[in-house]
Amino acid sequence: MYGENLKLSVFGESHGAAIGMTMEGVPAGLPVEEARLQQFLNRRAPGQNAWSTPRREEDRPEFLSGVLDGHTTGAPLTAVIYNHNTRSRDYEALRFTPRPGHADYTAFVKYGGFADAAGGGHFSGRLTAPLCVAGGLCKLWLEERGIRVAAHLQSIGGIADDAFDPLHPEIDRVSPDFPVLSPEKGEKMRERIAKVHAEGDSVGGVVECAVTGLPAGLGGPGCEGMESRIASLAFAIPAVKGVSFGAGFAAADRRGSENNDAFAVEGGRVVTVTNHCGGILGGITNAMPLLMHLAVKPTPSIARPQQSVDLRTMQPCPLEITGRHDPCIAPRAVPVAEAVAAIAVFDTLLGTK
């Protein structure tokens, strides 16, 4: 469950009959543009290119409640996505042999060996599909208020894309084919992914997300802060191992005189000359662009031999993973980053008077 004003739950398992989400607290009368939502979901969907898993799923949501005649009704909004292209046999040997880097072992311990290990079960990145249903809707509803959310690949395997301008993020520059600002850098990233994949390995990356058009005053101190609200949901993305805002960890190597954002007045409103804080001070938005960065780990399932243990005998054993896996998760994580930012911001807006 997530949210203070917008209650979101995500359910299902990677190889189960279906995955889905329910949102409570959605106001009545909001438009549900299914065609635009589907375009957003297609950016995350698997099996579309050389840098994602070959598993093909339509990821077409079916709304069970909360929508009538293209608008929300005010009732709990529930949508499901049916799973079709599953190959659970690929995971039969893994029930008692946890994969390094996955949640297999911790899930085995927590649920006494009853958790569904096929495809990672409830811990799979597959669960980001219904997360994107919720986030895609919130993103569209934010656009009606003049708030835009966009992300791109800041880096993959050490190859860096151009960064967003922290004062004026060029969100319309993001390529629809491969989410980068620089096509040349994007080509190098794809070459790196292909090389690593050919070696039976995987690679990680960093996603940069921007939210523009936010008013000042959203959020609050402590756990009510925008960083806290966004980060808690960002860590629901299985591959995310780090979240930062603005300058992030780079701020630790600066002096205060270098990191402070001086104030100025522009067009009758208060602005900052720089944006090292990423649009948030004291957990509260200051009306500058909100900038977030997500560290996405390499795909744990790789073709190289690894070492594991047999949980029945408690003895070490070799492990070779088969099946279909992304050589790099980061490109498909880009729309998921947008989704979590949109959900957190929309939840916060619902609480404003």
Side-chain angles (χ1 to χ4, degrees):
M1 297 291 295
Y2 171 84
E4 181 178 337
N5 309 289
L6 180 79
K7 302 294 185 180
L8 169 67
S9 62
V10 173
F11 57 86
E13 292 157 321
S14 178
H15 287 203
I19 51 180
M21 68 91 209
T22 294
M23 282 195 292
E24 299 181 49
V26 178
L30 297 180
V32 177
E33 302 177 55
E34 295 192 41
R36 291 185 64 192
L37 175 62
Q38 191 61 54
Q39 290 177 347
F40 179 70
L41 296 177
N42 290 345
R43 293 170 52 200
R44 193 223 67 94
Q48 301 189 83
N49 44 59
W51 54 85
S52 71
T53 170
R55 176 179 176 179
R56 295 190 65 86
E57 296 282 1
E58 287 188 354
D59 282 2
R60 190 171 298 279
E62 178 180 323
F63 289 95
L64 304 183
S65 65
V67 179
L68 180 66
D69 296 331
H71 289 82
T72 57
T73 64
L77 196 161
T78 298
V80 295
I81 295 174
Y82 293 101
N83 291 322
H84 299 288
N85 191 11
T86 59
R87 286 196 341 208
S88 298
R89 64 182 182 275
D90 291 339
Y91 298 86
E92 291 174 359
L94 300 176
R95 183 175 179 184
F96 300 102
T97 310
R99 297 166 295 172
H102 281 280
D104 298 349
Y105 171 66
T106 50
F108 184 92
V109 173
K110 183 172 181 64
Y111 301 109
F114 289 99
D116 185 357
H122 188 69
F123 298 88
S124 169
R126 180 89 184 113
L127 273 295
T128 61
L131 188 62
C132 280
V133 174
L137 290 172
C138 289
K139 186 178 175 184
L140 294 175
W141 297 333
L142 288 175
E143 287 182 4
E144 290 195 324
R145 303 184 182 209
I147 299 170
R148 300 183 66 191
V149 184
H152 73 111
L153 288 166
Q154 179 174 301
S155 67
I156 281 183
I159 299 173
D161 186 24
D162 297 342
F164 275 143
D165 180 333
L167 297 177
H168 305 284
E170 316 93 311
I171 57 180
D172 291 322
R173 272 186 63 198
V174 180
S175 170
D177 299 320
F178 191 73
V180 290
L181 300 176
S182 167
E184 295 78 14
K185 302 290 181 59
E187 182 58 33
K188 291 181 179 179
M189 290 180 185
R190 289 194 291 269
E191 291 173 358
R192 176 63 57 85
I193 294 172
K195 181 178 185 296
V196 170
H197 185 45
E199 296 170 352
D201 217 332
S202 62
V203 66
V206 176
V207 175
E208 182 179 40
C209 182
V211 184
T212 63
L214 286 172
L218 292 181
C223 295
E224 296 180 6
M226 285 305 305
E227 294 110 328
S228 299
R229 290 169 180 261
I230 296 174
S232 65
L233 191 55
F235 280 117
I237 305 172
V240 168
K241 298 301 289 184
V243 180
S244 69
F245 295 87
F249 285 91
D253 295 325
R254 296 175 179 172
R255 297 186 179 191
S257 57
E258 298 171 316
N259 193 63
N260 289 347
D261 297 310
F263 289 108
V265 176
E266 183 179 281
R269 70 185 187 99
V270 175
V271 298
T272 57
V273 178
T274 53
N275 191 18
H276 302 310
C277 70
I280 305 172
L281 290 168
I284 304 170
T285 59
N286 65 357
M288 300 300 290
L290 189 157
L291 295 173
M292 171 183 68
H293 305 86
L294 304 182
V296 181
K297 70 180 182 181
T299 313
S301 290
I302 57 177
R304 294 186 176 189
Q306 300 181 80
Q307 180 178 314
S308 185
V309 295
D310 189 318
L311 297 174
R312 295 164 296 187
T313 64
M314 297 303 289
Q315 296 295 316
C317 66
L319 174 66
E320 291 194 18
I321 298 174
T322 59
R324 302 166 295 178
H325 309 283
D326 297 75
C328 183
I329 305 170
R332 293 175 60 208
V334 169
V336 189
E338 296 175 11
V340 299
I343 293 168
V345 169
F346 190 72
D347 173 51
T348 307
L349 279 171
L350 287 180
T352 61
K353 297 180 180 180

